[in-house]
């Protein structure tokens, strides 16, 4: 059994008590004894850990948080002076060690309840996001040098200072990796592991990153790991003058409110909030490939922000596409997370699943498959932990626009497929672009078509979203391209494709002059202009 204390100011620190991580499959198999075992261990009632107990993590209070923030502040100046080449080497080495221990992390994520296919996808994103090509791109953005009129001009992104990271409980380990980019840019970190899923965060930082920092002589306090009361810690981060930035993952109402509070307190919130991604299938699309991509909607029972949450299918191919897609969806089933064929996770918001379904059907939607609550065996059950993957057809863009299942983020496996009314392709495409841009969220949008002119128009005209995916996996990763980020209710008013290593910095211009303090004669041409002549 792994055991992780807190890590503050370069030292492992005992917490107030231990949180025990019991294998998720034990809860799915028989919830009561698994819960009783976890509770008895945490209350120190003499229970003996079994093979299903995979780890324990220390839980601390507000004193631990205060010590972590102070340690990060103390280390921030020295770490900010560390040469960029050293910081880059640290992240590249992290990538290598992560690759070497990827299977170990995947097993940890499975123990926390992530289906194997989902865990593999998460780790692939962590590897892609920290690969050497991405780090070299970051270097090109963090410091640029120009020569003009005998002067050297440096554009340097300086670290903000102390960055606090609040990863989400549903994907804590993978999302916490965003903090490493803030570290790359010269910031120090306080990372709060969620009480419900601390193990993957502790593994990523304590097993992989912290040893690399120590090997390179990073000052104590460069990275601090805590686990404690979420609400109290967030409130302290917002008001604490030693904290500069907060990297927050959560739902949109809570995140946008936090952003307002940060602004009032003179600090920066980098927000990763809800998503409501659109997925467009045009009349000439490769329908089989599009159906495979849209199946990504049901990863983790759709409890992932960046999966497609609604689809718009050209009326000319709607019947054929839906036949292909529904056939694939019917094969999805619940199961233990260790099963390599399983995509579905237990659903947390079951009541909203049925509320949204009822509203859509009451407005004329047609249920194509699914719709019931089921148990681990896939059979209908009023107390089942899963919901069947569900597809509802909705006809007409305007009729669909006001429905909750289209307008709001769905965090359960209920996918609306909208079939627009027949119209000319030109008017239909314009209506679809307006529909995507009218979405209150802005994470990702996808298009499937063979028409290169349409591809160019989609890329040019769709402004909503941190990413546009064309004829590609909606949730796939690419080097250099950030894994996160969006606008509107996804990232707040300052949201965009999220390069956390840039968002947690500020741009500074540095001019090294000629020694002549006199202003330049505006009639003097620049070197560039002379060269052009």
């Amino acid at each position: 059994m792994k055991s992780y204390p807190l890590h503050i100011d370069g030292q492992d620190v005992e917490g107030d008590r231990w949180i025990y991580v019991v294998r998720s499959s034990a809860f799915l198999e028989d919830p009561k004894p698994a819960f009783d075992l976890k509770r008895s261990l945490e209350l120190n009632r003499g229970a003996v850990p079994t093979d299903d107990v995979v780890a324990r993590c220390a839980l601390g209070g507000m004193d631990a948080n205060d010590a972590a923030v102070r340690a990060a502040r103390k280390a921030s100046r020295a770490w900010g002076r560390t040469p960029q080449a050293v910081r880059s080497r640290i992240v590249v080495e992290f990538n290598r060690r992560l690759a070497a221990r990827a299977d170990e992390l995947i097993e940890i994520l499975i123990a926390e309840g992530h289906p194997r296919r989902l865990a593999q996808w998460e780790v692939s994103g962590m590897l892609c996001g920290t690969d050497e090509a991405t780090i070299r791109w970051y270097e090109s953005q963090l410091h640029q040098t120009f020569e003009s009129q005998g002067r050297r001009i440096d554009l340097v992104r300086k670290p903000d200072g102390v960055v606090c990271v609040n990863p989400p409980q549903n994907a804590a380990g993978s999302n916490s990796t965003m903090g490493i980019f803030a570290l790359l840019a010269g910031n120090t970190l306080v990372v709060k592991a969620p009480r419900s899923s601390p193990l993957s965060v502790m593994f990523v930082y304590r097993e992989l990153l912290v040893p690399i920092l120590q090997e390179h002589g990073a000052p104590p306090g460069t990275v601090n790991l805590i686990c404690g009361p979420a609400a109290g810690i967030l409130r302290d981060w917002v008001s604490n003058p030693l904290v500069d930035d907060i990297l927050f993952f959560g739902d949109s109402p809570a995140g946008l409110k936090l952003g307002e509070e940060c602004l009032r307190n003179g600090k920066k919130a980098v927000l990763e909030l809800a998503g409501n991604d659109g997925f467009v299938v045009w009349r000439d699309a490769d329908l089989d490939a599009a159906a495979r991509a849209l199946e990504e909607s049901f990863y983790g029972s759709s409890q992932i922000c960046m999966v497609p949450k609604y689809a718009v299918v050209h009326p000319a191919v709607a019947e054929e596409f839906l036949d292909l897609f529904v056939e694939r969806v019917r094969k999805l089933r619940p199961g233990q997370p260790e099963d390599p064929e399983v995509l579905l996770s237990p659903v947390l918001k079951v009541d909203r699943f049925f509320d949204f379904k009822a509203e859509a059907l009451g407005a004329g939607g047609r249920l194509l498959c699914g719709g019931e609550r089921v148990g681990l065996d896939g059979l209908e059950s009023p107390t089942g932990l899963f919901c069947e993957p569900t597809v509802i057809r909705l006809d007409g863009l305007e009729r669909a626009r006001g429905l909750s299942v289209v307008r709001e983020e769905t965090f359960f496996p209920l996918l609306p497929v909208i079939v627009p009314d027949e119209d000319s392709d030109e008017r239909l495409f314009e209506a679809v672009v307006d529909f995507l841009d009218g979405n209150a969220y802005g994470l990702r949008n996808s298009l499937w078509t063979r028409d290169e002119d349409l591809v160019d128009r989609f890329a040019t005209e769709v402004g909503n979203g941190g990413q546009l995916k064309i004829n590609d996996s909606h949730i796939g990763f690419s080097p250099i391209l950030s894994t996160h980020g969006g606008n509107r209710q996804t990232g707040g008013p300052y949201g965009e494709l999220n390069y956390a290593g840039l968002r947690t910095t500020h741009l500074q211009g540095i001019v090294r002059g000629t020694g002549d303090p006199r202003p330049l004669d505006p009639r003097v041409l620049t070197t560039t202009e002379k060269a052009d002549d």
Side-chain angles (χ1 to χ4, degrees), residues 170-288:
N170 67 316
S174 57
N175 284 290
S176 73
T177 310
M178 293 289 284
I180 293 175
F181 298 114
L183 193 76
L184 171 70
N187 298 285
T188 54
L189 297 181
V190 177
V191 182
K192 182 184 74 63
R195 294 174 61 173
S196 59
S197 53
L199 178 55
S200 57
V201 176
M202 290 297 185
F203 177 85
V204 166
Y205 279 89
R206 191 64 189 86
E207 297 271 356
L208 301 180
L209 183 62
V210 166
I212 302 171
L213 289 169
Q214 292 171 342
E215 291 164 15
H216 284 79
T222 299
V223 167
N224 304 274
L225 307 174
I226 60 174
C227 182
I233 289 173
L234 276 174
R235 281 196 301 269
D236 177 76
W237 288 353
V238 170
S239 60
N240 194 324
L242 302 182
V243 172
D244 295 289
D245 300 346
I246 300 175
L247 180 52
F248 177 85
F249 296 78
D251 64 28
S252 292
L256 294 173
K257 181 180 179 182
L258 178 81
E260 294 175 2
E261 293 171 351
C262 284
L263 188 62
R264 285 196 296 269
N265 283 272
K267 60 192 62 182
K268 187 187 297 180
V270 182
L271 303 176
E272 285 291 337
L273 310 177
N276 188 17
D277 294 9
F279 187 101
V280 179
V281 181
W282 206 245
R283 65 157 66 238
D284 62 344
D286 180 336
L287 298 185
D288 187 64

Side-chain angles (χ1 to χ4, degrees), residues 363-409:
R366 179 150 48 100
L367 182 67
L368 301 184
C369 65
E372 300 300 333
R373 185 173 185 171
V374 296
L376 184 63
D377 55 8
L379 300 178
E380 187 175 343
S381 167
T383 59
L385 297 176
F386 297 84
C387 292
E388 290 181 307
T390 301
V391 181
I392 293 179
R393 173 172 174 161
L394 300 171
D395 289 295
L397 287 171
E398 287 306 313
R399 289 187 292 276
R401 190 188 298 272
L403 297 176
S404 299
V405 73
V406 175
R407 186 181 68 249
E408 301 180 28
E409 181 193 44

Side-chain angles (χ1 to χ4, degrees), residues 70 162 196 327 417:
R70 284 188 284 105
V162 175
S196 59
E327 182 181 0
V417 177

Side-chain angles (χ1 to χ4, degrees), residues 494-514:
Y494 305 107
E496 58 184 19
L497 187 63
N498 186 1
Y499 288 95
L502 305 183
R503 298 284 301 281
T504 56
T505 63
H506 52 279
L507 186 63
Q508 186 178 73
I510 303 169
V511 180
R512 304 183 192 211
T514 62

Side-chain angles (χ1 to χ4, degrees), residues 3 94 103 120 123 127 213 256 264 273 305 322 395 446 514:
S3 185
F94 168 82
D103 289 343
Q120 291 169 336
V123 174
L127 287 168
L213 289 169
L256 294 173
R264 285 196 296 269
L273 310 177
C305 295
L322 284 168
D395 289 295
S446 276
T514 62

